[in-house]
Amino acid sequence: MQVAVTVWEGRISPVFDAARTLLVVELVEAEVAGRRLWPIPVAAMHTFLRLLAELRVEVLICGALCEGQARMLESRGVEVLSFLTGDVDQVLGSFAAGADLTAYVMPGCRRGRCRRMPARTRGWKVATEKPSI
Amino acid sequence: MSDRLPTETNEIILESISDGVFTVDHNWRIMSFNRAAEEITGTPRREAIGRYCWEVFRSNMCEGDCALKRTMKEGKSFVSTATYIINNRQQRVPIAVSTSLLKNEAGKVLGGVETFRDHSLVEELRRELHGSFAMGEMVSRSKAMQKIFAILPRVAESDSTVLIEGETGTGKELLAAALHRLSSRAEEPFVAINCGALPDTLLESELFGYRAGAFTGADRDRPGLFQAASRGTLFLDEIGDTSAAFQVRLLRVLEEKEFQPLGGVERIATTTRILAATNRDLAAMVADGHFRRDLFYRINIIHLQLPPLRERMEDIPLLVDRFIEKMNHIKGRMVSGVSTSAMAVLLAHDYPGNIRELENIIEHGFVLCADKEIEVGHLPGYLRLRQSGEGNPAAIEQVQQGSEVAAIVAALRRHHYNRLAAAAELGIHKSTLFRKLKKYRIELPEIDGRSAR
């Protein structure tokens, strides 16, 4: 499975719009089998979508992302894990292991805020914290 | 009594203001976060404190052009930088950011302060303001255009035939479309045809349709644009370029409200509204005998004159914004505008191609611009050459114009003053040829090449 992450200084890029580098990793049986960096076409969404399609990216891990862009990505069959933050290798490691990613969710985004919940079809979990009573 | 306010009072003030305020330490960790900051970002203070500022603030400046980073590095404050953040409802929030150093009483730098103001309302008002300068797809704040906008709803309601005059590229079709949308026929079709682009027989078959067997290849009935438009609007562009024979047929349709398909015997009633347009001076053509007087009076019930762009230069910033907005939408980009120097170049040009030329210039800039703003270097070369004064542009222009006039006159003579044929030989559209004839004041003889056919 090809997984893409917008990266900035070894971390997940804070805002998708401003991200300039894309790390694409190949996950084989919960292990990172290959990784490559790609420059992100400057602010051209359609070129970015074409790049993801050419690289056969199934999942995009990124920082803050507005709803319109999330819909565009999802309409092209890309599953989006947005509003995540932290060290890229740690996030990828947790993702590959199918671990809970709640610890990497940006502040203010717990309890289902910031994004619609992605389909959890591959065993990974994100932001499942329930509202406290 | 001390002049200083107690710390608690400062905190109350910070909590009361509508500007978001947060402070960071040297490691970019948030130390304080006021109530307005919570509201604008959607992040509660308890979640924000201790986190990296970019995780909470989520501005498009964070990664590449952080104002706070520049302040910390250069020791300078920055005021009202326009940007946007993404809040916890996945919305882009336009904001204005100011930054400064955070110092203690001894002057020691403790970190940085960022204040930011939600500009959503300002943006909304700006859009509304632009809306008041808009009519359909057109935008303008020029007096001439505002006068047209003001009467347009009444003209649309009147159902009368309208003649729109204006140079090529001034937006005649957009005006016609706006008239249609404002009229009671808005739900019906709007059909446009360029009459100057087709020879007579083809134009007639396009407009009136034909019956099977009307001519070789007509193996079945085909309805024309009058039927396609039905109870809607038919826009006849370049009406001044039609032949005398066609003008007679069109006049009959307009007067009798019925037409006859080619090869047919029956007459079909029509209620289609006619809007006509030309880039030529129809009244002068009537005076010269090049356009039928009766048709002219039939279509010239309401006359709208679109000014060329050089007479409404105040619209250029508005039009530039509109084109950038449109192209951002189409191309999925985030170009914010043109730089001040690029705008100066745009305002110095005289736009012989009018709004269409301006749109092409912006599209050119859009292709070359890889960043947020279109700069002078992204504009077409001919604009920059003129601006920089390279190679004595006045002299170059004079030489260019001289050879252009000579080429046009020679082509016209070779084709016995048939404008269409001359334009084809010169490799330009005939409307461009007409514009150049007018610009260089080239007098043509009474004969029209088409009458020699």
Side-chain angles (χ1 to χ4, degrees):
Chain A
M1 175 171 60
Q2 302 290 327
V3 178
V5 192
T6 51
V7 295
W8 169 60
E9 296 178 359
R11 308 179 62 85
I12 296 178
S13 189
V15 175
F16 172 79
D17 295 3
R20 293 288 169 267
T21 311
L22 189 72
L23 171 69
V24 179
V25 298
E26 187 178 5
L27 291 185
V28 180
E29 294 176 1
E31 292 290 331
V32 175
R35 52 197 295 153
R36 193 167 169 191
L37 289 171
W38 296 82
I40 295 180
V42 179
M45 190 63 177
H46 64 283
T47 320
F48 182 72
L49 290 171
R50 199 164 58 228
L51 176 67
L52 290 188
E54 281 168 10
L55 299 174
R56 299 173 190 278
V57 169
E58 291 177 50
V59 177
L60 172 71
I61 295 173
C62 62
L65 172 77
C66 70
E67 194 176 1
Q69 289 171 321
R71 283 184 195 280
M72 277 174 90
L73 287 158
E74 285 166 357
S75 71
R76 303 297 177 95
V78 178
E79 290 191 53
V80 181
L81 295 177
S82 57
F83 289 89
L84 295 182
T85 183
D87 180 87
V88 171
D89 290 330
Q90 285 179 17
V91 176
L92 273 174
S94 299
F95 172 78
D100 189 347
L101 298 182
T102 304
Y104 303 108
V105 171
M106 284 178 157
C109 294
R110 303 274 171 95
R111 302 185 190 116
R113 284 177 298 191
C114 295
R115 70 204 178 286
R116 284 161 290 143
M117 299 301 284
R120 285 185 288 129
T121 53
R122 292 189 182 83
W124 35 264
K125 297 174 236 169
V126 182
T128 52
E129 187 180 315
K130 290 178 182 165
S132 52
I133 299 167
Chain B
M1 190 178 147
S2 169
D3 288 342
R4 297 179 67 88
L5 291 168
T7 312
E8 305 85 68
T9 312
N10 285 335
E11 280 175 13
I12 291 168
I13 293 169
L14 265 181
E15 286 303 287
S16 308
I17 59 174
S18 57
D19 285 7
V21 182
F22 68 82
T23 57
V24 294
D25 62 17
H26 288 288
N27 296 314
W28 311 106
R29 300 275 185 179
I30 289 180
M31 298 192 292
S32 66
F33 201 72
N34 78 341
R35 180 196 51 79
E38 287 185 305
E39 282 176 13
I40 299 169
T41 63
T43 303
R45 184 182 348 223
R46 65 176 184 282
E47 290 185 37
I49 302 287
R51 301 298 297 255
Y52 287 119
C53 54
W54 59 79
E55 296 177 336
V56 177
F57 193 50
R58 302 189 288 259
S59 154
N60 64 327
M61 293 201 312
C62 292
E63 186 173 323
D65 187 27
C66 172
L68 201 50
K69 192 179 269 182
R70 277 192 288 151
T71 289
M72 301 279 267
K73 192 176 168 187
E74 300 170 24
K76 283 196 301 190
S77 297
F78 291 96
V79 181
S80 281
T81 307
T83 183
Y84 64 83
I85 60 165
I86 297 181
N87 68 12
N88 73 340
R89 288 180 293 282
Q90 283 189 286
Q91 297 161 330
R92 277 188 190 150
V93 181
I95 55 165
V97 171
S98 299
T99 54
S100 56
L101 290 174
L102 176 69
K103 294 178 182 174
N104 66 10
E105 289 173 341
K108 186 185 172 193
V109 177
L110 303 175
V113 187
E114 184 146 334
T115 64
F116 53 104
R117 179 169 293 181
D118 185 344
H119 265 204
S120 303
L121 187 61
V122 176
E123 285 295 308
E124 207 173 299
L125 290 171
R126 191 179 63 85
R127 275 198 295 274
E128 272 184 32
L129 196 61
H130 278 202
S132 69
F133 295 126
M135 181 64 76
E137 294 290 305
M138 295 179 297
V139 286
S140 179
R141 59 177 91 211
S142 85
K143 278 186 183 168
M145 289 299 290
Q146 287 290 322
K147 275 185 191 169
I148 293 177
F149 289 175
I151 61 166
L152 219 53
R154 274 178 290 150
V155 174
E157 273 174 34
S158 72
D159 223 30
S160 303
T161 305
V162 178
L163 176 62
I164 304 166
E165 283 189 340
E167 289 180 13
T168 183
T170 47
K172 296 186 288 290
E173 186 167 343
L174 289 183
L175 184 62
L179 272 171
H180 172 73
R181 274 196 295 274
L182 288 168
S183 75
S184 57
R185 298 168 184 260
E187 299 300 312
E188 305 291 335
F190 173 79
V191 179
I193 183 169
N194 186 331
C195 301
L198 301 170
D200 269 14
T201 46
L202 197 52
L203 181 57
E204 282 175 33
S205 73
E206 281 293 310
L207 283 176
F208 309 130
Y210 55 78
R211 293 285 178 242
F215 48 82
T216 310
D219 51 358
R220 66 180 77 173
D221 289 358
R222 184 177 183 271
L225 296 182
F226 266 98
Q227 278 167 288
S230 185
R231 284 177 295 181
T233 306
L234 182 59
F235 174 57
L236 304 175
D237 201 2
E238 310 291 12
I239 190 100
D241 296 353
T242 55
S243 72
F246 175 80
Q247 290 170 24
V248 173
R249 289 193 188 93
L250 182 62
L251 177 65
R252 225 171 138 185
V253 174
L254 295 179
E255 286 186 335
E256 296 172 7
K257 302 266 182 214
E258 53 182 29
F259 63 92
Q260 196 172 8
L262 293 180
V265 287
E266 83 286 21
R267 299 185 70 78
I268 299 173
T270 176
T271 55
T272 305
R273 183 185 192 183
I274 302 294
L275 304 178
T278 180
N279 61 357
R280 306 177 71 179
D281 182 349
L282 270 199
M285 287 180 72
V286 169
D288 294 344
H290 292 139
F291 197 85
R292 286 189 69 96
R293 187 175 298 274
D294 42 11
L295 179 61
F296 174 68
Y297 287 122
R298 189 67 193 75
I299 58 175
N300 192 28
I301 296 171
I302 297 167
H303 177 251
L304 298 174
Q305 181 75 43
L306 280 172
L309 187 52
R310 63 183 170 278
E311 287 175 17
R312 40 181 283 215
M313 296 297 270
E314 66 269 43
D315 283 342
I316 287 177
L318 204 60
L319 289 163
V320 167
D321 278 356
R322 170 63 67 100
F323 295 143
I324 288 178
E325 200 178 304
K326 183 175 149 187
M327 283 174 216
N328 271 337
H329 181 70
I330 294 170
K331 298 181 190 295
R333 290 184 54 184
M334 285 298 300
V335 173
S336 59
V338 299
S339 68
T340 312
S341 48
M343 184 57 83
V345 173
L346 292 174
L347 289 168
H349 187 51
D350 61 356
Y351 299 95
N354 288 297
I355 300 169
R356 190 179 295 128
E357 184 186 358
L358 176 62
E359 186 167 14
N360 291 346
I361 289 170
I362 297 300
E363 188 167 355
H364 183 282
F366 222 82
V367 172
L368 298 188
C369 157
D371 217 332
K372 286 189 286 188
E373 272 195 340
I374 295 175
E375 301 284 351
V376 174
H378 303 136
L379 299 176
Y382 71 94
L383 290 179
R384 283 182 279 136
L385 185 68
R386 175 174 290 200
Q387 182 72 6
S388 65
E390 282 173 38
N392 188 358
I396 291 174
E397 204 166 299
Q398 224 167 10
V399 172
Q400 278 176 342
Q401 288 181 357
S403 53
E404 208 170 25
V405 169
I408 290 169
V409 171
L412 281 165
R413 280 188 187 143
R414 269 194 297 279
H415 294 279
H416 309 288
Y417 297 97
N418 182 324
R419 287 80 152 160
L420 197 62
E425 189 200 293
L426 292 165
I428 57 176
H429 192 266
K430 66 176 181 346
S431 50
T432 311
L433 177 62
F434 285 124
R435 183 170 51 73
K436 287 181 187 295
L437 291 175
K438 198 171 171 185
K439 179 181 171 188
Y440 299 133
R441 297 184 182 166
I442 299 172
E443 296 290 335
L444 295 177
E446 286 298 306
I447 60 159
D448 179 340
R450 285 177 304 190
S451 57
R453 280 183 300 188

